[in-house]
């Protein structure tokens, strides 16, 4: 017994050090070298400084397969420290590679660092983006598409082809100008427009009449929810952020900041061009952007009007959100049905009610969660933990329910135990849409409601087939509830996906912990981990 354990341990350690992370031998490795630079781009007709990866805006798309091992060498040629984060990639046992300031030191200008992680048991439409210093407002983001392994069936007929749409709001101001405005205590203005794949209009997707195509749609914006639709065609929803959904038909779909949906579209119209339209939600005025769906060989241009979109209606969106449900008999990345995890039978051990507020600290606009407006310490939390460096953070300074009193700056870390099953209620006290993202996990988005959440609202939760996802919207003056099984040890960022709010403090970390040090629950620090802050002196 002891010997087996020792052998197991030995094997694990050797493998871990050989590959720097665990991987099955058959899983492919994909190597990338990405040079990140500034470059002039003019997506809205005005030249401005953008952030390019290998000269591209948006950055290069990653087309991968479940369980692929990613080796991505990022060369930072910006004049500011840089990190890239992999939105929705769970980084199992591996928050070391998550690419946020709570887990990693940023890559200094003029240097490079190589991310190594596995796309373990994940499938679907994801994205990556720079997580530091408002860089994302200037670019550096791109698609991260994960296809199924050849041995795993998908619960829909194989599409003839697929298209990726990165849709987002855009500002003509560069990221340093936007940052200066936020640092001065001003909110961001409305964006100047919307882009699809970096273009204000006219991006063209060409398909064959009679065939069905997969459209992968991600909201890569920094502030604005969008509605997506295609003239003359319905959308069959198949996947949301890694979960296969009931295949319902929609005329249009709302996609909030940081979220992804995948739909099938059958090209069964008459041969011509059709508008692919995206409009802003909950803004006045409404912004529109179009792309074209061209039937191959057609030369009949698309004709106005654009297909109609919902305007301000919040309830329309909330109702639609409730219709998106898991297909319990479909598999996801693994062959077992998604419904085999009966979250309705698991005891919630802790409820966190997290209220976001807009506030002023020292006369300047800040955003807070339960009265604490997050400030990044110089030392990543994960390194403080690893090297036992005191004075970086204190667990649970943030309360489990919203306290009264003014907000203060702080470094919020919620301490939890590995395998806790937790209910998190996101209470939005602002009259603005929110979008919340949790790194390292998917969670069940079980409820949406108006007004203030009370325990009574649990009766309204979807305890059967709620979507298992990584980003949830919270409507103005409303709440959303999620359930999450904290089975991934590490330090995980819970943040507003709305960039200015995150930048001004609407985020925190969840430390998922047990005292047993084992490579079976968490990988060791990468040998080449960058060290900074107080971690630098220790080593
Ligand atoms: C960013 O925008 C500001 C304000 O318009 C401008 O002064 C500055 O030169 C711009 N920076 C770059 C590098 O383009
Ligand atoms: C990245 O940096 C390492 C040294 O830290 C160096 O050996 C390697 O060649 C660099 N890679 C690239 C692509 O610049
Ligand atoms: C759910 O998935 C099953 C199994 O793959 C599939 O046969 C069925 O059509 C799906 N149902 C819906 C409503 O999407
Ligand atoms: C789209 O679906 C709706 C019902 O949800 C239906 O009324 C409409 O005819 C469909 N449109 C097309 C183009 O198939
Ligand atoms: C965008 O489209 C909607 C309807 O689709 C329309 O009401 C609105 O005026 C358009 N906005 C602009 C700025 O053209």
């Amino acid at each position: 017994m002891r010997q087996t354990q020792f052998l197991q341990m030995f094997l694990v350690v050797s493998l871990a050090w050989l590959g720097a992370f665990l991987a099955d031998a058959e899983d492919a490795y994909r190597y990338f070298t990405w040079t990140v630079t500034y470059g002039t781009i003019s997506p809205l007709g005005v030249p401005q400084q953008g952030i390019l990866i290998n000269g591209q805006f948006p950055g290069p798309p990653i087309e991968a397969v479940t369980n692929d091992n990613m080796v991505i060498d990022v060369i930072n040629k910006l004049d500011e420290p840089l990190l890239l984060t992999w939105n929705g990639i769970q980084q199992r046992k591996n928050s070391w590679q998550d690419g946020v300031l709570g887990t990693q030191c940023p890559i200094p200008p003029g240097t490079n660092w190589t991310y190594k992680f596995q796309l373990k048991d994940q499938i679907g439409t994801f994205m990556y983006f720079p997580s530091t210093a408002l860089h994302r407002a200037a670019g550096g983001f791109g698609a991260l598409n994960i296809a199924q392994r050849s041995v795993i069936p998908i619960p829909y007929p194989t599409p003839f082809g697929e298209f990726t749409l990165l849709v987002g709001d855009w500002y003509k101001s560069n990221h340093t100008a936007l940052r200066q405005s936020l640092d001065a205590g001003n909110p961001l203005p409305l964006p100047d427009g919307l882009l699809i794949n970096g273009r204000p209009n006219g991006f063209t997707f060409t398909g064959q009449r009679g065939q069905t195509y997969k459209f992968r749609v991600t909201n890569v914006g920094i502030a604005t929810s969008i509605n997506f639709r295609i003239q003359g065609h319905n959308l069959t929803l198949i996947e949301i952020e890694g979960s296969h959904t009931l295949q319902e038909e929609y005329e249009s779909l709302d996609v909030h900041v940081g979220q992804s949906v995948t739909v099938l579209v059958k090209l069964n119209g008459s041969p011509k061009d059709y508008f692919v339209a995206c409009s802003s939600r909950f803004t006045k005025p409404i912004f529109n952007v179009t792309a074209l769906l061209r039937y191959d060989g057609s030369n009949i241009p698309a004709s106005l009007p654009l297909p109609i979109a919902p305007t301000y209606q919040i309830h329309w969106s909330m109702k639609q959100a409730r219709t998106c449900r898991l297909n319990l008999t479909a598999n996801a990345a693994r062959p077992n049905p998604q419904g085999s995890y009966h979250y309705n039978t698991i005891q919630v051990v802790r409820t966190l009610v997290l209220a976001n507020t807009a506030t002023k600290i020292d006369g300047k606009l800040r955003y807070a969660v339960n009265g604490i407006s997050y400030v990044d310490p110089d030392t990543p939390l994960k390194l403080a933990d690893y090297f036992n460096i005191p004075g970086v953070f204190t667990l649970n300074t943030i309360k489990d329910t919203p306290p009264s009193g003014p907000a203060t700056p702080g470094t919020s870390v919620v301490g939890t135990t590995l395998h806790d099953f937790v209910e998190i209620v996101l209470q939005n006290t602002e009259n603005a849409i929110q979008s919340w993202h949790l790194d390292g996990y998917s969670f069940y988005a079980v409820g949406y409601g108006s007004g203030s959440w009370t325990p009574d609202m649990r009766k309204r939760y979807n305890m059967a087939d709620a979507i298992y996802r990584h980003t949830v919207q919270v409507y103005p003056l409303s709440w959303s509830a999620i359930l999450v099984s904290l089975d991934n040890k590490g330090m995980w960022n819970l943040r507003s996906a709305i960039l200015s709010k995150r930048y001004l403090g609407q985020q925190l970390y969840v430390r998922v912990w047990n005292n047993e040090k084992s490579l079976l629950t968490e990988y060791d620090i990468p040998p080449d981990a960058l060290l900074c802050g107080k971690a630098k002196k220790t080593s």
Side-chain angles (χ1 to χ4, degrees):
M1 185 62 196
R2 276 188 77 103
Q3 206 179 0
T4 322
Q5 267 175 357
F6 174 78
L7 266 173
Q8 250 173 20
M9 209 52 207
F10 176 76
L11 213 77
V12 166
V13 172
S14 336
L15 272 176
W17 286 104
L18 267 177
F21 57 110
L22 288 170
D24 292 337
E26 78 257 28
D27 297 325
Y29 279 77
R30 290 183 194 265
Y31 296 91
F32 302 85
T33 302
W34 281 0
T35 305
V36 184
T37 59
Y38 291 122
T40 303
I41 55 174
S42 319
L44 291 176
V46 181
Q48 65 186 112
Q49 180 184 262
I51 292 179
L52 315 181
I53 297 180
N54 293 351
Q56 298 177 48
F57 167 78
I62 295 178
E63 299 290 346
V65 175
T66 302
N67 290 351
D68 278 355
N69 297 293
M70 314 300 284
V71 182
I72 306 177
D73 185 1
V74 175
I75 304 167
N76 178 10
K77 294 208 168 160
L78 306 181
D79 58 355
E80 295 171 342
L82 171 74
L83 283 175
L84 294 181
T85 192
W86 318 90
N87 202 52
I89 301 307
Q90 289 176 2
Q91 305 288 9
R92 294 206 65 83
K93 310 173 194 174
N94 203 7
S95 61
W96 305 109
Q97 306 280 336
D98 197 33
V100 288
L101 285 173
T103 66
Q104 286 182 254
C105 302
I107 307 168
T111 70
N112 71 321
W113 192 75
T114 304
Y115 287 89
K116 302 188 187 91
F117 56 90
Q118 191 178 17
L119 304 175
K120 183 74 182 155
D121 292 334
Q122 289 194 268
I123 189 173
T125 301
F126 302 91
M127 69 157 150
Y128 62 84
F129 65 86
S131 72
T132 36
L134 235 59
H135 289 147
R136 181 176 171 183
F141 53 77
L144 202 178
N145 298 331
I146 312 179
Q148 76 281 4
R149 286 186 290 146
S150 57
V151 294
I152 306 290
I154 43 172
Y156 49 87
T158 303
F160 192 73
E162 60 176 72
F163 303 120
T164 298
L165 286 82
L166 303 177
V167 186
D169 49 20
W170 193 259
Y171 290 78
K172 290 177 186 167
S173 302
N174 61 46
H175 79 281
T176 43
L178 293 175
R179 196 164 69 205
Q180 273 161 18
S181 170
L182 291 176
D183 289 343
N186 305 310
L188 286 192
L190 276 178
D192 296 306
L194 297 179
L195 303 177
I196 297 179
N197 294 347
R199 304 256 306 261
N201 274 310
F203 196 98
T204 304
F205 304 96
T206 304
Q208 309 285 326
R209 187 165 184 238
Q211 301 292 352
T212 296
Y213 289 82
K214 181 187 272 189
F215 283 72
R216 299 177 177 274
V217 184
T218 296
N219 186 334
V220 296
I222 64 171
T224 314
S225 297
I226 58 138
N227 176 268
F228 165 75
R229 59 211 184 273
I230 303 180
Q231 201 173 37
H233 296 75
N234 279 345
L235 315 169
T236 304
L237 185 66
I238 53 172
E239 179 243 312
I240 293 179
E241 295 161 25
S243 294
H244 287 135
T245 62
L246 286 185
Q247 292 166 20
E248 303 278 2
E249 274 202 13
Y250 294 89
E251 288 175 344
S252 76
L253 278 168
D254 279 356
V255 187
H256 305 276
V257 176
Q259 296 184 337
S260 300
V261 300
T262 308
V263 298
L264 295 182
V265 178
K266 181 151 203 234
L267 272 54
N268 55 2
S270 60
K272 63 184 207 76
D273 288 0
Y274 295 86
F275 283 116
V276 175
C278 295
S279 309
S280 59
R281 296 285 277 124
F282 321 122
T283 63
K284 279 178 191 155
I286 295 173
F287 300 92
N288 302 303
V289 61
T290 58
L292 292 171
L293 171 59
R294 171 163 298 164
Y295 281 33
D296 195 19
S298 105
N299 48 20
I300 304 173
S303 49
L304 290 168
L306 295 183
I308 54 157
T311 50
Y312 201 81
Q313 302 100 333
I314 290 170
H315 281 98
W316 184 96
S317 189
M318 204 184 273
K319 268 166 81 178
Q320 179 177 76
R322 294 196 189 107
T323 67
C324 300
R325 291 180 292 147
L326 271 189
N327 181 338
L328 298 178
T329 60
N331 61 283
R334 284 188 287 186
N336 48 313
Q338 302 179 125
S340 61
Y341 183 79
H342 295 289
Y343 64 91
N344 58 333
T345 62
I346 300 167
Q347 183 72 37
V348 167
V349 299
R350 184 164 172 194
T351 296
L352 293 163
V353 181
L354 301 176
N356 57 275
T357 44
T359 185
K360 285 211 163 157
I361 296 180
D362 295 335
K364 287 183 181 168
L365 176 68
R366 295 284 303 182
Y367 295 94
V369 185
N370 284 7
I372 300 183
S373 183
Y374 189 86
V375 181
D376 280 303
D378 295 338
T379 312
L381 309 170
K382 187 72 196 149
L383 297 186
D385 239 359
Y386 184 80
F387 293 115
N388 288 312
I389 303 166
V392 178
F393 69 93
T394 309
L395 282 179
N396 300 323
T397 50
I398 183 168
K399 301 293 171 233
D400 284 17
T401 52
S404 52
T408 53
T411 301
S412 305
V413 182
V414 176
T416 67
T417 303
L418 185 64
H419 300 304
D420 275 358
F421 191 69
V422 173
E423 174 187 41
I424 303 177
V425 177
L426 301 160
Q427 180 70 58
N428 184 5
T429 68
E430 293 171 68
N431 194 11
I433 184 89
Q434 304 280 337
S435 186
W436 275 98
H437 171 90
L438 176 60
D439 276 357
Y441 287 92
S442 288
F443 48 73
Y444 293 92
V446 291
Y448 304 89
S450 311
S452 288
W453 180 88
T454 60
D456 219 32
M457 301 296 166
R458 290 185 179 127
K459 283 188 253 168
R460 298 201 214 155
Y461 287 2
N462 175 352
M463 292 304 280
D465 53 7
I467 295 289
Y468 187 60
R469 66 186 315 171
H470 58 66
T471 303
V472 68
Q473 71 274 23
V474 191
Y475 294 97
L477 304 172
S478 300
W479 55 268
S480 298
I482 65 176
L483 297 177
V484 58
S485 174
L486 297 175
D487 59 0
N488 192 14
K489 193 169 170 179
M491 186 68 81
W492 303 108
N493 194 205
L494 176 58
R495 61 171 173 262
S496 176
I498 295 174
L499 188 58
S500 62
K501 300 199 170 187
R502 177 186 187 219
Y503 181 77
L504 293 180
Q506 191 179 326
Q507 59 172 323
L508 54 117
Y509 282 79
V510 179
R511 178 184 188 252
V512 181
W513 193 249
N514 65 358
N515 280 328
E516 190 189 328
K517 194 169 156 58
S518 162
L519 293 173
L520 298 176
T521 51
E522 186 175 37
Y523 301 163
D524 206 352
I525 187 170
D528 63 347
L530 298 172
L531 301 176
C532 56
K534 292 177 179 160
K536 195 158 199 162
K537 298 190 194 91
T538 311
S539 60

